[in-house]
Structure formats: structure tokens, C-alpha cells
Short mmCIF file of all heavy atoms in Angstrom, two decimals:
data_model
loop_
_atom_site.label_atom_id
_atom_site.label_comp_id
_atom_site.label_asym_id
_atom_site.label_seq_id
_atom_site.Cartn_x
_atom_site.Cartn_y
_atom_site.Cartn_z
N ASP A 1 16.77 -9.55 3.02
CA ASP A 1 15.87 -10.65 2.73
C ASP A 1 14.57 -10.53 3.50
O ASP A 1 13.50 -10.82 2.98
CB ASP A 1 16.55 -11.99 3.07
CG ASP A 1 17.66 -12.33 2.08
OD1 ASP A 1 17.68 -11.71 1.01
OD2 ASP A 1 18.49 -13.19 2.40
N GLY A 2 14.65 -10.09 4.77
CA GLY A 2 13.45 -10.03 5.58
C GLY A 2 12.42 -9.06 5.06
O GLY A 2 11.22 -9.22 5.30
N ASP A 3 12.86 -8.01 4.35
CA ASP A 3 11.94 -7.00 3.84
C ASP A 3 10.94 -7.58 2.86
O ASP A 3 9.82 -7.07 2.73
CB ASP A 3 12.71 -5.87 3.17
CG ASP A 3 13.55 -5.06 4.15
OD1 ASP A 3 13.31 -5.16 5.36
OD2 ASP A 3 14.43 -4.33 3.68
N LEU A 4 11.32 -8.59 2.14
CA LEU A 4 10.43 -9.18 1.14
C LEU A 4 9.20 -9.81 1.80
O LEU A 4 8.17 -9.96 1.15
CB LEU A 4 11.20 -10.24 0.34
CG LEU A 4 10.56 -10.76 -0.95
CD1 LEU A 4 10.37 -9.64 -1.95
CD2 LEU A 4 11.41 -11.87 -1.55
N TYR A 5 9.30 -10.16 3.06
CA TYR A 5 8.20 -10.81 3.77
C TYR A 5 7.45 -9.86 4.69
O TYR A 5 6.47 -10.26 5.33
CB TYR A 5 8.75 -11.99 4.58
CG TYR A 5 9.40 -13.05 3.72
CD1 TYR A 5 10.75 -12.93 3.35
CD2 TYR A 5 8.69 -14.15 3.27
CE1 TYR A 5 11.35 -13.89 2.54
CE2 TYR A 5 9.29 -15.11 2.47
CZ TYR A 5 10.62 -14.97 2.11
OH TYR A 5 11.21 -15.92 1.31
N ALA A 6 7.88 -8.60 4.77
CA ALA A 6 7.33 -7.69 5.76
C ALA A 6 5.86 -7.37 5.50
O ALA A 6 5.05 -7.32 6.44
CB ALA A 6 8.15 -6.40 5.77
N LEU A 7 5.48 -7.14 4.25
CA LEU A 7 4.10 -6.77 3.95
C LEU A 7 3.14 -7.91 4.29
O LEU A 7 2.10 -7.69 4.92
CB LEU A 7 3.97 -6.38 2.47
CG LEU A 7 2.57 -5.98 2.00
CD1 LEU A 7 1.98 -4.86 2.86
CD2 LEU A 7 2.62 -5.55 0.54
N GLU A 8 3.50 -9.12 3.89
CA GLU A 8 2.65 -10.28 4.23
C GLU A 8 2.54 -10.46 5.73
O GLU A 8 1.46 -10.74 6.26
CB GLU A 8 3.23 -11.55 3.60
CG GLU A 8 3.07 -11.61 2.10
CD GLU A 8 4.02 -12.62 1.49
OE1 GLU A 8 3.70 -13.82 1.54
OE2 GLU A 8 5.07 -12.21 0.97
N ALA A 9 3.66 -10.31 6.44
CA ALA A 9 3.65 -10.47 7.89
C ALA A 9 2.75 -9.42 8.54
O ALA A 9 1.99 -9.74 9.48
CB ALA A 9 5.07 -10.37 8.44
N ALA A 10 2.80 -8.18 8.05
CA ALA A 10 1.96 -7.12 8.61
C ALA A 10 0.48 -7.42 8.39
O ALA A 10 -0.35 -7.22 9.29
CB ALA A 10 2.34 -5.78 7.99
N LEU A 11 0.13 -7.91 7.20
CA LEU A 11 -1.27 -8.26 6.93
C LEU A 11 -1.72 -9.42 7.81
O LEU A 11 -2.84 -9.42 8.33
CB LEU A 11 -1.42 -8.60 5.45
CG LEU A 11 -1.29 -7.42 4.48
CD1 LEU A 11 -1.17 -7.93 3.04
CD2 LEU A 11 -2.48 -6.48 4.60
N ALA A 12 -0.84 -10.41 7.98
CA ALA A 12 -1.19 -11.57 8.80
C ALA A 12 -1.41 -11.16 10.25
O ALA A 12 -2.33 -11.66 10.92
CB ALA A 12 -0.10 -12.62 8.70
N ARG A 13 -0.59 -10.24 10.75
CA ARG A 13 -0.75 -9.77 12.14
C ARG A 13 -2.09 -9.08 12.34
O ARG A 13 -2.62 -9.05 13.46
CB ARG A 13 0.39 -8.82 12.51
CG ARG A 13 1.72 -9.50 12.76
CD ARG A 13 2.68 -8.57 13.48
NE ARG A 13 2.98 -7.38 12.70
CZ ARG A 13 3.98 -7.28 11.83
NH1 ARG A 13 4.77 -8.33 11.60
NH2 ARG A 13 4.20 -6.16 11.18
N ARG A 14 -2.65 -8.55 11.28
CA ARG A 14 -3.95 -7.88 11.36
C ARG A 14 -5.11 -8.83 11.07
O ARG A 14 -6.24 -8.41 10.85
CB ARG A 14 -3.98 -6.68 10.41
CG ARG A 14 -3.12 -5.52 10.91
CD ARG A 14 -2.78 -4.54 9.82
NE ARG A 14 -2.07 -3.37 10.32
CZ ARG A 14 -0.79 -3.36 10.67
NH1 ARG A 14 -0.07 -4.47 10.56
NH2 ARG A 14 -0.21 -2.26 11.13
N GLY A 15 -4.81 -10.10 11.05
CA GLY A 15 -5.84 -11.11 10.84
C GLY A 15 -6.29 -11.28 9.41
O GLY A 15 -7.36 -11.83 9.16
N LEU A 16 -5.46 -10.83 8.44
CA LEU A 16 -5.84 -10.88 7.03
C LEU A 16 -5.17 -12.03 6.28
O LEU A 16 -5.26 -12.11 5.06
CB LEU A 16 -5.50 -9.56 6.35
CG LEU A 16 -6.28 -8.34 6.87
CD1 LEU A 16 -5.74 -7.06 6.27
CD2 LEU A 16 -7.76 -8.49 6.58
N GLY A 17 -4.51 -12.92 6.99
CA GLY A 17 -3.88 -14.06 6.33
C GLY A 17 -4.85 -15.18 6.09
O GLY A 17 -5.99 -15.15 6.58
N PRO A 18 -4.45 -16.20 5.32
CA PRO A 18 -3.20 -16.23 4.58
C PRO A 18 -3.22 -15.25 3.40
O PRO A 18 -4.27 -14.95 2.86
CB PRO A 18 -3.10 -17.67 4.09
CG PRO A 18 -4.52 -18.11 3.96
CD PRO A 18 -5.25 -17.43 5.09
N VAL A 19 -2.04 -14.78 3.05
CA VAL A 19 -1.91 -13.78 1.98
C VAL A 19 -1.45 -14.47 0.70
O VAL A 19 -0.46 -15.19 0.70
CB VAL A 19 -0.92 -12.67 2.37
CG1 VAL A 19 -0.81 -11.64 1.25
CG2 VAL A 19 -1.36 -12.00 3.67
N ALA A 20 -2.20 -14.25 -0.37
CA ALA A 20 -1.84 -14.80 -1.68
C ALA A 20 -1.18 -13.71 -2.52
O ALA A 20 -1.50 -12.53 -2.40
CB ALA A 20 -3.07 -15.32 -2.41
N GLY A 21 -0.27 -14.12 -3.37
CA GLY A 21 0.31 -13.23 -4.36
C GLY A 21 -0.04 -13.72 -5.75
O GLY A 21 -0.14 -14.92 -5.98
N ALA A 22 -0.24 -12.80 -6.69
CA ALA A 22 -0.57 -13.18 -8.07
C ALA A 22 0.29 -12.38 -9.04
O ALA A 22 0.53 -11.18 -8.83
CB ALA A 22 -2.05 -12.95 -8.37
N ASP A 23 0.75 -13.04 -10.08
CA ASP A 23 1.58 -12.38 -11.09
C ASP A 23 1.46 -13.17 -12.39
O ASP A 23 0.96 -14.30 -12.41
CB ASP A 23 3.03 -12.30 -10.64
CG ASP A 23 3.83 -11.24 -11.39
OD1 ASP A 23 3.24 -10.52 -12.22
OD2 ASP A 23 5.05 -11.14 -11.15
N GLU A 24 1.92 -12.56 -13.49
CA GLU A 24 1.80 -13.19 -14.80
C GLU A 24 3.14 -13.25 -15.51
O GLU A 24 4.10 -12.58 -15.13
CB GLU A 24 0.80 -12.42 -15.67
CG GLU A 24 1.06 -10.93 -15.83
CD GLU A 24 2.18 -10.57 -16.79
OE1 GLU A 24 2.48 -11.38 -17.70
OE2 GLU A 24 2.77 -9.49 -16.62
N ALA A 25 3.17 -14.04 -16.57
CA ALA A 25 4.31 -14.09 -17.49
C ALA A 25 3.77 -14.19 -18.90
O ALA A 25 2.81 -14.92 -19.16
CB ALA A 25 5.21 -15.28 -17.18
N GLY A 26 4.36 -13.43 -19.81
CA GLY A 26 3.99 -13.51 -21.22
C GLY A 26 3.08 -12.42 -21.71
O GLY A 26 2.68 -12.44 -22.88
N ARG A 27 2.77 -11.44 -20.88
CA ARG A 27 1.89 -10.36 -21.34
C ARG A 27 2.51 -9.62 -22.53
O ARG A 27 1.82 -9.27 -23.48
CB ARG A 27 1.62 -9.39 -20.19
CG ARG A 27 0.75 -8.21 -20.60
CD ARG A 27 0.34 -7.37 -19.41
NE ARG A 27 -0.46 -6.23 -19.85
CZ ARG A 27 -1.47 -5.71 -19.17
NH1 ARG A 27 -1.81 -6.24 -18.02
NH2 ARG A 27 -2.14 -4.67 -19.64
N GLY A 28 3.81 -9.39 -22.50
CA GLY A 28 4.45 -8.63 -23.56
C GLY A 28 4.94 -9.45 -24.73
O GLY A 28 5.48 -8.88 -25.68
N ALA A 29 4.76 -10.76 -24.67
CA ALA A 29 5.20 -11.61 -25.78
C ALA A 29 4.21 -11.52 -26.93
O ALA A 29 3.05 -11.16 -26.75
CB ALA A 29 5.33 -13.06 -25.32
#
């Protein structure tokens, strides 16, 4: 479970937070 948060945590430690994620649904419909 912790691995899912590792990339965001690494970016935040480098002063790049807050980190946003973006994704879509329905592209293939």
C-alpha cells in the first residue's frame, strides 16, 4: 500500500507539493 504514495512523497520532500493527479474515463467509449 505504501508504494502507491511513494512518488508523491518524494516530490513533496523536494518542495514540489502539493502534487495533483489527473486521469480520464470514457476515452474508449
Side-chain angles (χ1 to χ4, degrees):
D1 289 343
D3 293 344
L4 193 61
Y5 298 86
L7 179 54
E8 288 162 80
L11 290 168
R13 285 196 298 271
R14 288 161 174 77
L16 296 172
V19 180
D23 200 3
E24 54 77 25
R27 178 172 178 145

